[in-house]
Amino acid sequence: MRPTLDRMSVIRLLVLGAVRQHGRAHGYQVRNDLEYWGAHEWSNAKPGSIYHALKQMARQGLLHAHEIAPSTAGGPPRTEYEITEPGTEEFFRLLREALTSYDQKPDVFSAGLGLMVDLERAEALALLEQRLRSIEEWRRAVTEYYTPEEGPGQLGHIGEIMDLWVHSADTGAAWTRGLVERVRSGAYTFAGEGEPFIGVLAEGEENPYATGERHPGDAR
Amino acid sequence: MRPTLDRMSVIRLLVLGAVRQHGRAHGYQVRNDLEYWGAHEWSNAKPGSIYHALKQMARQGLLHAHEIAPSTAGGPPRTEYEITEPGTEEFFRLLREALTSYDQKPDVFSAGLGLMVDLERAEALALLEQRLRSIEEWRRAVTEYYTPEEGPGQLGHIGEIMDLWVHSADTGAAWTRGLVERVRSGAYTFAGEGEPFIGVLAEGEENPYATGERHPGDAR
DNA sequence: GAGCTGGTAGTCAAGTTTGACTAGCGAGGG
DNA sequence: CCCTCGCTAGTCAAACTTGACTACCAGCTC
């Protein structure tokens, strides 16, 4: 009965990160933070998924659920969540994986970027450099593997797909190198460096980046 | 009761494309083609999803299912599928959308690339140029929207996420321009240009790009 | 002072995706 | 001859995702 060390899930990482930064948060707060981070644009952070992840991780012991009396301002009875010790471990495991692994799904890395300041600067740098090595290794494997002996071009237009992946990997690596430079030169405030960047919305603070669009889940 | 014009689904596009190129195909053949295209690498083309899509689209009338007696070479009774007229329409609708829209999910575009030669060259070029305009529009919307009045940098490290998206959009546009050049100069064989590129495996042909890895669904 | 709008907070059923599992057959080894 | 391995072909339950829906309250309008 190990602590559910399953595969990477962006939602789980984002939700754990949001709850952790608040100390204690209910679903709607998490939902708002993820919108503040723009996560609904680059990941599948929809209300249903968020509430599902909260409940699921509470069942698995990664979060502790506090039932709150249906207090202020009506609505259904809310539940507040707090991150547990196993939850914190899982959070860092997912975060480290998001920053180092190259799986060409950009949402995972974006989530890692949004939460990287929860690590210490030195570790973040090390992970990003590991990421560069992962990209290089991926590139080598793919180009070796998909280059037929009869020379390139044997693949016809299907080869364009591979070319696109490789191009994305290369430009992704270049961008990561730029980020490494910025972080190395002191950009941003990482864990243990004093006043952290405020990455969540305080209770009642208005969201300057809220989209005008309705969420699908909103009542008319 | 419209012909199920729902949202983009990579699996549906890929499966329709594979069945259409075969004329008539059973699930395992489709599964093999998608592996031949490398789709298991850059999309969620797992066996379960493929069989589900086949059944689903047969129910919706996009495919016609022929029950085949459990004939050659044992195994469970197979079903062969043929694309219908509504299925063909849906296929081209999805294909055009995959090539023009920019939703920063690279799997959709990759699928479009793999199937673009099912269109005529002129149309493919027009769609790719439309894609370039979509990217530009997306870029304008995002940079306007997420640039605070207090100047850039107000976002802290969260701004890196946006920078990554914008960078990806720019390099994606550059790559697309290269592709447009290649296609304009006569690369590849498009619909109505004689002998088409063989994009599927014939019955019994071995797959030169099959991975040595097991699929998750394989028996031990 | 009734009704409308908008924000807060969350549920739910339907649909999709996942990875593990089943099952038949042929080839080859011992 | 029997047993295992690998290939063909597909099923299934559990998990996840989705978008529509509920419900409450406050403020405003008419």
Side-chain angles (χ1 to χ4, degrees):
Chain A
M1 215 181 289
R2 46 167 185 57
T4 341
L5 286 179
D6 43 7
R7 69 224 157 278
M8 168 55 73
S9 156
V10 195
I11 295 277
R12 292 165 75 94
L13 173 56
L14 288 169
V15 168
L16 283 172
V19 171
R20 183 166 176 277
Q21 289 193 15
H22 272 294
R24 193 183 246 240
H26 51 88
Y28 193 74
Q29 254 170 332
V30 171
R31 185 175 160 178
N32 248 333
D33 283 353
L34 298 197
E35 183 174 11
Y36 178 53
W37 300 347
H40 55 294
E41 299 274 3
W42 44 261
S43 80
N44 59 343
K46 315 266 168 65
S49 304
I50 294 168
Y51 287 109
H52 172 75
L54 283 168
K55 279 188 182 159
Q56 169 86 342
M57 293 195 291
R59 274 211 313 278
Q60 294 174 338
L62 305 181
L63 295 176
H64 182 77
H66 303 269
E67 299 292 335
I68 299 296
S71 55
T72 55
R78 326 190 301 185
T79 311
E80 290 196 331
Y81 296 91
E82 227 168 345
I83 196 163
T84 62
E85 177 53 31
T88 305
E89 274 171 37
E90 174 75 350
F91 169 68
F92 282 112
R93 193 184 69 80
L94 289 174
L95 176 53
R96 293 186 178 110
E97 194 186 325
L99 285 172
T100 53
S101 81
Y102 180 65
D103 58 356
Q104 66 264 58
K105 269 165 223 112
D107 55 347
V108 176
F109 185 52
S110 294
L113 285 179
L115 295 165
M116 69 177 171
V117 293
D118 287 354
L119 298 165
E120 290 183 7
R121 187 179 298 267
E123 182 174 9
L125 278 169
L127 294 171
L128 289 171
E129 267 152 10
Q130 177 57 46
R131 178 183 179 78
L132 286 169
R133 286 192 290 277
S134 304
I135 295 178
E136 236 168 284
E137 194 191 344
W138 176 89
R139 189 194 204 287
R140 193 163 37 244
V142 165
T143 49
E144 254 174 44
Y145 191 70
Y146 278 90
T147 303
E149 294 82 27
E150 303 86 22
Q154 279 310 99
L155 288 169
H157 69 284
I158 296 288
E160 290 286 354
I161 297 178
M162 197 195 76
D163 189 61
L164 172 61
W165 304 339
V166 171
H167 183 261
S168 304
D170 289 347
T171 55
W175 186 87
T176 302
R177 269 181 228 109
L179 175 63
V180 166
E181 264 332 292
R182 291 192 285 284
V183 170
R184 203 196 300 287
S185 331
Y188 314 122
T189 306
F190 284 75
E193 298 181 345
E195 208 55 42
F197 178 79
I198 304 303
V200 293
L201 296 163
E203 187 101 36
E205 183 182 357
E206 90 175 281
N207 183 348
Y209 304 112
T211 61
E213 313 155 12
R214 333 203 51 71
H215 326 156
D218 285 353
R220 274 139 313 174
Chain B
M1 214 179 292
R2 47 166 185 56
T4 341
L5 288 179
D6 41 9
R7 69 223 157 279
M8 169 55 72
S9 156
V10 195
I11 295 277
R12 292 165 75 93
L13 172 56
L14 288 170
V15 168
L16 284 173
V19 171
R20 183 167 175 277
Q21 289 193 15
H22 272 295
R24 193 183 247 240
H26 51 89
Y28 193 72
Q29 253 170 333
V30 172
R31 185 173 159 179
N32 248 332
D33 282 353
L34 298 197
E35 183 174 11
Y36 178 53
W37 300 347
H40 56 293
E41 300 275 2
W42 44 261
S43 80
N44 59 343
K46 315 267 170 65
S49 305
I50 294 168
Y51 287 109
H52 173 75
L54 284 168
K55 279 188 182 157
Q56 168 89 339
M57 292 195 290
R59 273 210 315 278
Q60 295 173 339
L62 304 182
L63 296 176
H64 182 78
H66 303 268
E67 298 293 335
I68 299 296
S71 54
T72 56
R78 327 190 300 186
T79 310
E80 289 196 331
Y81 296 91
E82 228 169 343
I83 196 165
T84 62
E85 177 53 32
T88 305
E89 274 171 37
E90 173 75 349
F91 169 67
F92 281 111
R93 191 184 69 79
L94 288 175
L95 176 52
R96 293 187 178 109
E97 194 186 326
L99 285 172
T100 53
S101 81
Y102 180 65
D103 58 356
Q104 65 264 59
K105 268 166 224 112
D107 56 345
V108 176
F109 185 51
S110 295
L113 285 180
L115 296 165
M116 69 176 170
V117 293
D118 288 353
L119 299 165
E120 291 183 7
R121 187 179 298 268
E123 182 175 10
L125 279 170
L127 294 172
L128 290 171
E129 268 153 9
Q130 177 56 47
R131 178 183 179 77
L132 287 170
R133 285 192 291 278
S134 303
I135 296 178
E136 236 168 283
E137 194 190 344
W138 175 90
R139 188 195 205 288
R140 193 163 36 244
V142 164
T143 49
E144 257 173 42
Y145 191 70
Y146 278 89
T147 303
E149 295 83 27
E150 302 87 21
Q154 279 310 100
L155 289 169
H157 70 284
I158 296 287
E160 291 286 354
I161 298 178
M162 195 194 77
D163 190 60
L164 172 61
W165 306 339
V166 171
H167 183 261
S168 304
D170 289 347
T171 56
W175 187 87
T176 303
R177 271 182 226 108
L179 175 63
V180 166
E181 264 332 293
R182 292 192 284 284
V183 170
R184 205 196 300 286
S185 333
Y188 313 122
T189 306
F190 284 75
E193 297 180 345
E195 209 54 42
F197 179 79
I198 305 302
V200 293
L201 297 164
E203 187 101 34
E205 183 182 356
E206 89 176 283
N207 184 346
Y209 304 112
T211 61
E213 312 155 14
R214 331 203 52 71
H215 324 156
D218 286 352
R220 274 140 312 172

